[in-house]
Amino acid sequence: MSIATVSRVLNNQPRVAQATRERVLHVADELGYQPHSFAQSLARRQSNLISVVVPAMTSYFFLEVLRGIQDSLADSGYDIVVHLAKARKDAEVQFERSLRRGRSAGVVVISPTVLSAIGHRIERARTAIILVDCKHDDFDSITVDNVRGGFQATRHLVELGCERIALVMADPSSPPAFDRCSGYREALAKFDLPYSDSLVASSTGTDDGFTEEGGYRAMRKILDSGERPDGVFVTSDVQALGVLRAATEFGLSAPGQLKVVGFDDIPLLRHAGITTIRQPMYRLGSLAGGRLLERLADAKLPRLHVVEAPDLVVRGTTSTARAGEVEQFPEAVSVAAMGDH
Amino acid sequence: MSIATVSRVLNNQPRVAQATRERVLHVADELGYQPHSFAQSLARRQSNLISVVVPAMTSYFFLEVLRGIQDSLADSGYDIVVHLAKARKDAEVQFERSLRRGRSAGVVVISPTVLSAIGHRIERARTAIILVDCKHDDFDSITVDNVRGGFQATRHLVELGCERIALVMADPSSPPAFDRCSGYREALAKFDLPYSDSLVASSTGTDDGFTEEGGYRAMRKILDSGERPDGVFVTSDVQALGVLRAATEFGLSAPGQLKVVGFDDIPLLRHAGITTIRQPMYRLGSLAGGRLLERLADAKLPRLHVVEAPDLVVRGTTSTARAGEVEQFPEAVSVAAMGDH
DNA sequence: GTGAAAGCGCTAACAG
DNA sequence: CTGTTAGCGCTTTCAC
């Protein structure tokens, strides 16, 4: 019984006698033997590690996406190494590390903060790479249609009769925030409502401004300037919390004097009754994991850009009818596959 | 210039001429050379991977703890592999995998769900193991004093004049929930308040009952039975949300007719104004990471059991004074070091 | 100071 | 079907 035979059995290779196979399996089980994955990787010239690079945002978004990735990779034999990138510069370092030193088979990069930091460096990578929540022509990406989300939110406000619709956005350098803003402007244009700079404020700072405090300050800015919007689209639920706080300070309550639409639909915040645009976070993760597996199996696959559609979820901040009950308006998912350039 | 010399330089070993060293460094940098970590691990007979086993709870708790671990390990050269244990049985499998197949240098196991599932199996491990949020004599552990937290919460209610204090707890098989309950009973005893089964309800199900729905159902049960508590301690903020919802349905508002104290102090829920017992989640993680590093450096260290003290944070559900403002009553941290048995 | 050589634990031809 | 023989890329004695 040679070591080679054992290897064959453990890897379910054909040319082994049934008797030998059983004997090996039996002994291996008895000894609690586990192949050394590093040695395997070295000999096979392929890793069983997949890196997930995420920004240090303490957000629920990351958690859900990670869950999706993890689930989709559960039976694949790959283990997941998480690289939390604290700062922007850190993201670059983390990425390089995960790519080279860690010898991952593939990498999932979540969120645009990271992408913009990595920039061109990302291009020369030979590993399988999937982008989540950010887009780049050279890599597969799984994103949410933020423009459409912004449009839906704004349209909802228009349909409710709002005529002075404000926008509280996060740091404009964050692609999702920027895109949601674009949707807002598109909707205004489509419904013949004027765009006014004084109705728009962006919150910056920690987590690209996706914070309660950021939302609060941005809304204060608008209100302090004397503007009195009758509706406001906020680029995240967390910020919407701050917007509501600012509104309350000015004696404005939702949905009466001010209708508010957020973005994300964070489960933990459902009780707050914020009308919002739901992102399929878990799904983004599982799609990314699935695609990574496909690409790992065939590196020559054409680039795939999946764009998931967000849903409007109506709650208390825009509607008094059946308060507490969740109405949904799911829309179809659009997938765009494009060949290489 | 041999491969051995290069290895020496890259590992900062002494016996190398300065000139050679610089030349190697220069070329390495130019080529963007990165040592293959698997090969290193194999040759050195030691891993650079640390496994973190977490329950699949979609909770903020895990995220914060992970952040703490990650930060404390940032400059150590270790990478983190995350093992999400979906089900209880899964936890065991994940653990075995992380321990053997993955050849981790060390493991951090978060949360008791996982521990109870692993049980005795964990004992024969030779790897460095740190437990977070659960305790076992054979391993280092970092926990929060849940009994004390439960006591503090209940005492706070007593001091506010409550005489019929209810308890809404999660699945009693969850150690944290159980301990918080113990603290509740201790406080009742100390302040000469009778304990009544009809004032206690536990929520079970998903995530060990640490859910909004779980809290809602448990509170409904108490209220439906005709009990009219004037205060309630809930074993988590998420559950407290459900408790408040149930109370509202019965026309009880906080803090007027019913004072509510939760547990956790989840940042995302601060706006809800729930008085709560704060857990230092991030700190648990960074302590765990730090301790792991210590143990990795010296396996013969005596067992260390760190018990962090939680803090009472008074908010709107128990106080009308200065609503919105956060008062804190931090208490000292207690650390208990015990030798091996 | 530096190089040659022997593995680390496993896989993958290549013979038998 | 099974054993032998090379490595995978790096570290580490042990000579020189």
Side-chain angles (χ1 to χ4, degrees):
Chain A
M1 172 98 58
S2 77
I3 176 177
T5 306
V6 175
S7 175
R8 284 192 195 95
V9 173
L10 266 30
N11 292 317
N12 283 314
Q13 281 177 32
R15 307 174 160 281
V16 182
Q18 187 57 26
T20 318
R21 165 156 287 151
E22 279 166 13
R23 200 147 53 91
V24 171
L25 253 23
H26 180 71
V27 176
D29 183 69
E30 201 155 69
L31 266 44
Y33 170 86
Q34 291 287 120
H36 190 132
S37 65
F38 292 168
Q40 285 183 311
S41 293
L42 201 59
R44 288 179 182 149
R45 287 136 224 252
Q46 58 158 56
S47 166
N48 69 127
L49 254 32
I50 283 179
S51 298
V52 177
V53 182
V54 299
M57 297 176 100
T58 55
S59 125
Y60 182 82
F61 182 81
F62 148 58
L63 198 63
E64 276 301 286
V65 174
L66 182 63
R67 231 168 38 86
I69 296 174
Q70 196 108 26
D71 283 357
S72 63
L73 260 41
D75 305 316
S76 68
Y78 285 104
D79 281 331
I80 293 179
V81 179
V82 174
H83 296 267
L84 261 172
K86 266 177 286 194
R88 269 181 204 230
K89 61 178 172 58
D90 205 50
E92 191 161 344
V93 178
Q94 290 285 19
F95 187 75
E96 290 276 320
R97 248 181 84 150
S98 66
L99 226 51
R100 304 178 166 279
R101 223 192 80 88
R103 307 285 160 154
S104 338
V107 183
V108 176
V109 183
I110 305 177
S111 215
T113 304
V114 173
L115 181 60
S116 63
I118 291 160
H120 51 285
R121 292 226 179 189
I122 207 177
E123 296 173 25
R124 67 179 185 212
R126 270 183 240 148
T127 325
I129 295 176
I130 313 287
L131 268 26
V132 173
D133 201 33
C134 54
K135 194 172 172 304
H136 188 296
D137 285 342
D138 298 344
F139 306 97
D140 289 337
S141 67
I142 316 286
T143 54
V144 158
D145 193 337
N146 284 304
V147 177
R148 179 178 188 157
F151 183 90
Q152 288 176 129
T154 313
R155 182 182 56 194
H156 178 60
L157 290 169
V158 171
E159 288 171 351
L160 255 25
C162 296
E163 293 179 333
R164 297 192 58 70
I165 302 175
L167 168 67
V168 167
M169 70 186 292
D171 196 321
S173 70
S174 154
F178 184 84
D179 290 349
R180 288 165 202 175
C181 172
S182 301
Y184 163 80
R185 300 189 66 148
E186 273 183 22
L188 288 190
K190 170 147 186 188
F191 298 107
D192 296 320
L193 252 29
Y195 170 86
S196 161
D197 272 333
S198 57
L199 280 173
V200 177
S202 57
S203 61
T204 51
T206 319
D207 286 357
D208 279 339
F210 285 108
T211 58
E212 198 267 358
E213 186 61 22
Y216 172 76
R217 279 205 295 265
M219 192 60 190
R220 279 290 310 221
K221 196 175 143 201
I222 293 174
L223 260 17
D224 281 338
S225 78
E227 285 287 353
R228 283 298 173 275
D230 49 10
V232 53
F233 166 45
V234 192
T235 54
S236 75
D237 290 345
V238 192
Q239 288 169 285
L241 250 24
V243 166
L244 287 169
R245 178 156 64 96
T248 303
E249 290 182 1
F250 276 73
L252 304 171
S253 69
Q257 292 100 318
L258 180 74
K259 302 199 194 309
V260 180
V261 180
F263 209 105
D264 281 343
D265 191 28
I266 295 173
L268 216 49
L269 253 29
R270 291 215 176 124
H271 71 281
I274 300 170
T275 289
T276 193
I277 304 293
R278 172 181 302 165
Q279 297 199 72
M281 315 187 196
Y282 177 88
R283 191 172 159 72
L284 295 181
S286 68
L287 285 173
R291 181 57 181 179
L292 186 54
L293 253 22
E294 289 176 15
R295 181 162 290 288
L296 247 21
D298 177 8
K300 297 187 200 66
L301 252 32
R303 298 277 164 267
L304 176 73
H305 297 285
V306 177
V307 182
E308 290 282 293
D311 298 329
L312 171 66
V313 180
V314 179
R315 296 213 180 87
T317 54
T318 61
S319 160
T320 49
R322 296 184 293 175
E325 185 170 326
V326 177
E327 296 173 44
Q328 291 180 225
F329 300 92
E331 302 201 18
V333 168
S334 73
V335 174
M338 315 178 348
D340 278 358
H341 305 252
Chain B
M1 172 95 61
S2 76
I3 176 178
T5 306
V6 176
S7 175
R8 285 194 194 92
V9 173
L10 266 27
N11 293 317
N12 283 312
Q13 281 177 30
R15 306 175 160 280
V16 181
Q18 187 57 27
T20 319
R21 166 156 289 153
E22 280 165 13
R23 199 147 54 89
V24 171
L25 254 23
H26 180 72
V27 176
D29 182 69
E30 200 156 68
L31 267 44
Y33 170 85
Q34 291 286 121
H36 189 134
S37 66
F38 292 168
Q40 284 184 313
S41 293
L42 201 59
R44 288 180 182 148
R45 285 138 228 246
Q46 59 158 59
S47 167
N48 70 124
L49 254 31
I50 283 178
S51 299
V52 178
V53 182
V54 299
M57 298 176 99
T58 55
S59 126
Y60 182 82
F61 181 81
F62 148 57
L63 197 62
E64 276 301 286
V65 174
L66 182 62
R67 239 178 21 96
I69 296 174
Q70 196 109 24
D71 283 357
S72 63
L73 260 41
D75 304 316
S76 67
Y78 286 104
D79 281 331
I80 294 179
V81 179
V82 174
H83 296 268
L84 259 173
K86 265 177 287 193
R88 272 182 201 231
K89 61 176 172 60
D90 207 48
E92 191 161 344
V93 178
Q94 289 285 18
F95 187 75
E96 290 276 324
R97 250 182 83 148
S98 65
L99 224 52
R100 305 179 165 278
R101 225 192 79 88
R103 307 284 159 155
S104 336
V107 183
V108 177
V109 183
I110 304 177
S111 216
T113 305
V114 175
L115 180 62
S116 63
I118 292 161
H120 51 285
R121 294 226 178 190
I122 206 177
E123 297 173 25
R124 67 180 183 210
R126 272 183 237 147
T127 326
I129 296 178
I130 313 288
L131 268 26
V132 174
D133 201 34
C134 52
K135 195 173 170 305
H136 188 295
D137 285 342
D138 297 344
F139 306 97
D140 289 337
S141 67
I142 316 286
T143 53
V144 158
D145 193 336
N146 284 305
V147 177
R148 181 180 189 154
F151 183 90
Q152 287 176 131
T154 313
R155 182 181 60 194
H156 177 58
L157 290 170
V158 171
E159 288 171 353
L160 256 25
C162 296
E163 295 179 332
R164 298 192 56 70
I165 303 175
L167 168 68
V168 167
M169 69 184 293
D171 196 320
S173 70
S174 155
F178 183 84
D179 290 350
R180 288 166 201 172
C181 171
S182 301
Y184 161 81
R185 300 189 66 147
E186 273 183 24
L188 287 190
K190 170 147 186 187
F191 298 107
D192 296 319
L193 251 31
Y195 169 85
S196 160
D197 272 333
S198 58
L199 279 172
V200 177
S202 57
S203 61
T204 52
T206 321
D207 285 358
D208 277 340
F210 285 108
T211 57
E212 199 267 357
E213 186 61 22
Y216 172 77
R217 279 205 294 263
M219 192 60 189
R220 279 289 311 219
K221 195 175 144 200
I222 293 174
L223 261 16
D224 281 337
S225 77
E227 286 288 353
R228 282 299 173 274
D230 49 9
V232 54
F233 165 46
V234 192
T235 55
S236 76
D237 289 346
V238 193
Q239 288 169 283
L241 251 24
V243 165
L244 288 169
R245 178 155 65 94
T248 303
E249 290 182 1
F250 276 73
L252 305 171
S253 70
Q257 294 101 316
L258 181 74
K259 304 200 193 309
V260 180
V261 180
F263 209 104
D264 281 344
D265 191 27
I266 295 175
L268 215 49
L269 252 29
R270 291 216 175 120
H271 72 280
I274 301 171
T275 289
T276 194
I277 304 293
R278 175 181 299 165
Q279 297 200 74
M281 315 186 196
Y282 177 88
R283 192 172 159 71
L284 295 182
S286 67
L287 286 173
R291 181 58 182 177
L292 185 55
L293 253 23
E294 288 176 14
R295 181 161 291 287
L296 249 20
D298 177 8
K300 296 188 201 65
L301 252 31
R303 299 277 164 269
L304 176 71
H305 296 285
V306 177
V307 181
E308 291 281 294
D311 299 329
L312 170 67
V313 181
V314 179
R315 296 214 178 88
T317 53
T318 61
S319 160
T320 49
R322 296 184 294 176
E325 185 172 325
V326 179
E327 294 171 45
Q328 291 179 224
F329 299 93
E331 302 198 18
V333 168
S334 73
V335 174
M338 318 180 344
D340 278 358
H341 305 252

